[in-house]
Amino acid sequence: MRHRLSAGGTASTLDKLNRPLRDLRLSVIDRCNFRCTYCMPRGTFGADYAFLPSSERLSFTQIVKLAEAFASLGVEKIRITGGEPLLRRGLESLIEQLAKLTTEGGKPMELALTTNGSLLAAKARSLRDAGLGRVTVSLDALDAAVFRRISDVDMHVSQILDGIEAARAVGLGPIKVNAVIERGVNEDQILPLVRLFRNTGVAVRFIEYMDVGGAGEWSNKKVVTARETRHIVESEYPLIPIVVHEQRGTAVNYRHADGSGEVGFIASVSQPFCGSCSRARVSADGKFYSCLFATHGTDLGPWLTDTASVEQLATAIRSRWIDRDDHYSELRSTQHRSGSGKVYPTVRMSLVGG
Ligand code: SAM
Ligand code: SF4
Ligand code: SF4
């Protein structure tokens, strides 16, 4: 088995493309109270859609066991996601248990959450008290009508802004706001978003519209590239690139020249970052996915029983990771320069976690 020494001096497991396992995205629920057109369009995810019954969701005990196994394999950061994770009842008690974990190198596990923000105002304090480190809120528009059109929910955008403010008020980590930009839909929201969050400590990050499972209407013509988005931001706010030695996250970050904050760009379509992708995903029903665009997952169920140990679970995960050679976004960019539509059908994002 191939190993390499990480900065902390501990051995890490490498996949077939020499990528270590560093990040875990844990989907705790596949349901959502929004129907974002690019993720869970109502036409597909309607009233009769068969979501996972709660009996098929992993229990908190199983999730903690999973997290322990991933930590033993080099995972340093866990992001709780979904669906909408704040819909999972009692989430704070799971966070409390995950917050006690340490990495292989003995550091506290980084614990983050991605949410649509609709329930954040009510939960910010209890999430912080439970030990959540940081929160990312998805918000694609400030204009109430554009927000409603994208999220396809009868809610005022001020509810999300209240959630962000509540998270800030309780000191819930450095807050990020993620905005997916789709051509002809919300390019006009780029500058208002940047404007609103300057001088607040909240970093806005713009994500290219991806052909995730669920985004049936995707076409590469609808992708506003990170470069285009940056030019729009720079038309009003000069930016200075933040130089990093090693690209670990998905965003390329800039700071405002006048010191009023940071803006990030996630070029998942125009400049894929598969080469440094260290993310594993586990769905709410305990399937391991080695890529956001995987076609199927490995069922970890047999190792999530009382009779299997954390070590046995870790061995099963490791054997799947060392076999990993996913690089869908790179394939997309070579196969779809001018065409449209997905390269091949993939698992829905609300199940596998964004
Ligand atoms: N419901 C939570 C939320 O929206 O933050 C967490 C799950 S959601 C699937 C995670 C992230 O995936 C969100 O930031 C969302 O904007 C992003 N996402 C979903 N569909 C996408 C798409 N087609 N292209 C780019 N990002 C997408
Ligand atoms: Fe729900 Fe998040 Fe998907 Fe929107 S992006 S439908 S909020 S899971
Ligand atoms: Fe990682 Fe798959 Fe996305 Fe490439 S396409 S960056 S391998 S999740």
Side-chain angles (χ1 to χ4, degrees):
M1 189 181 306
R2 284 164 308 153
H3 279 114
R4 92 169 170 211
L5 284 183
S6 70
T10 50
S12 59
T13 307
L14 301 178
D15 72 5
K16 279 187 170 165
L17 302 178
N18 275 330
R19 299 169 297 187
L21 173 52
R22 288 267 177 269
D23 303 279
L24 172 63
R25 304 222 167 164
L26 261 176
S27 173
V28 292
I29 190 165
D30 65 334
R31 288 169 190 268
C32 187
N33 52 343
F34 285 17
R35 285 293 177 272
C36 300
T37 48
Y38 52 70
C39 176
M40 296 177 78
R42 210 171 278 281
T44 309
F45 297 86
D48 54 352
Y49 187 83
F51 288 100
L52 291 175
S54 54
S55 58
E56 281 180 29
R57 278 183 217 139
L58 294 182
S59 68
F60 290 168
T61 307
Q62 289 173 312
I63 293 177
V64 172
K65 182 175 177 181
L66 263 171
E68 285 171 352
F70 275 100
S72 77
L73 294 170
V75 161
E76 296 168 342
K77 180 173 172 185
I78 298 177
R79 179 170 293 280
I80 298 166
T81 178
E84 174 45 45
L86 296 186
L87 289 180
R88 177 82 191 243
R89 204 167 296 155
L91 188 71
E92 291 87 343
S93 114
L94 173 66
I95 288 175
E96 224 171 271
Q97 297 173 63
L98 293 177
K100 292 186 189 132
L101 294 179
T102 50
T103 66
E104 206 191 2
K107 289 186 292 180
M109 181 67 72
E110 258 191 74
L111 202 53
L113 174 107
T114 304
T115 171
N116 62 29
S118 58
L119 303 171
L120 192 55
K123 289 183 178 267
R125 184 172 296 276
S126 57
L127 289 168
R128 185 213 54 192
D129 291 349
L132 182 66
R134 47 175 66 195
V135 67
T136 299
V137 181
S138 306
L139 176 63
D140 309 317
L142 291 181
D143 178 274
V146 181
F147 171 78
R148 270 208 183 88
R149 206 176 311 136
I150 297 174
S151 55
D152 196 6
V153 65
D154 187 18
M155 188 181 291
H156 197 275
V157 62
S158 58
Q159 191 165 327
I160 317 306
L161 296 175
D162 289 349
I164 295 171
E165 191 42 46
R168 245 165 53 92
V170 300
L172 197 53
I175 298 168
K176 290 178 187 149
V177 163
N178 277 358
V180 177
I181 304 300
E182 186 179 342
R183 193 174 304 287
V185 176
N186 63 338
E187 298 108 308
D188 63 344
Q189 299 300 301
I190 295 170
L191 283 170
L193 280 163
V194 171
R195 202 171 293 135
L196 181 72
F197 290 111
R198 285 172 71 220
N199 294 309
T200 62
V202 175
V204 183
R205 302 172 337 150
F206 294 101
I207 309 179
E208 290 179 353
Y209 177 28
M210 292 185 283
D211 51 340
V212 295
E217 299 294 307
W218 185 88
S219 121
N220 56 5
K221 297 198 178 69
K222 295 183 185 169
V223 178
V224 181
T225 64
R227 189 186 163 90
E228 282 177 81
T229 306
R230 180 165 55 81
H231 285 159
I232 292 172
V233 177
E234 286 180 322
S235 69
E236 204 159 305
Y237 302 107
L239 298 175
I240 298 169
I242 299 174
V243 180
V244 287
H245 295 299
E246 188 194 359
Q247 184 66 30
R248 287 288 289 272
T250 50
V252 176
N253 296 308
Y254 289 70
R255 59 185 169 80
H256 284 288
D258 65 1
S260 58
E262 288 185 15
V263 183
F265 302 91
I266 303 182
S268 10
V269 177
S270 64
Q271 286 172 283
F273 32 79
C274 299
S276 61
C277 180
S278 55
R279 286 176 291 285
R281 293 178 154 83
V282 177
S283 58
D285 59 348
K287 300 209 169 58
F288 172 98
Y289 292 88
S290 52
C291 175
L292 178 56
F293 298 92
T295 47
H296 69 277
T298 304
D299 186 10
L300 297 175
W303 295 277
L304 290 168
T305 57
D306 288 345
T307 49
S309 65
V310 172
E311 290 71 25
Q312 286 168 321
L313 175 60
T315 303
I317 295 167
R318 185 193 285 115
S319 68
R320 179 63 198 86
W321 186 265
I322 61 174
D323 218 24
R324 172 185 191 247
D325 63 358
D326 307 80
H327 55 297
Y328 178 95
S329 291
E330 289 178 352
L331 287 178
R332 181 208 298 113
S333 58
T334 55
Q335 295 181 15
H336 271 259
R337 286 206 188 283
S338 58
S340 63
K342 288 174 68 66
V343 178
Y344 51 76
T346 60
V347 66
R348 66 189 160 98
M349 193 173 190
S350 47
L351 176 71
V352 74

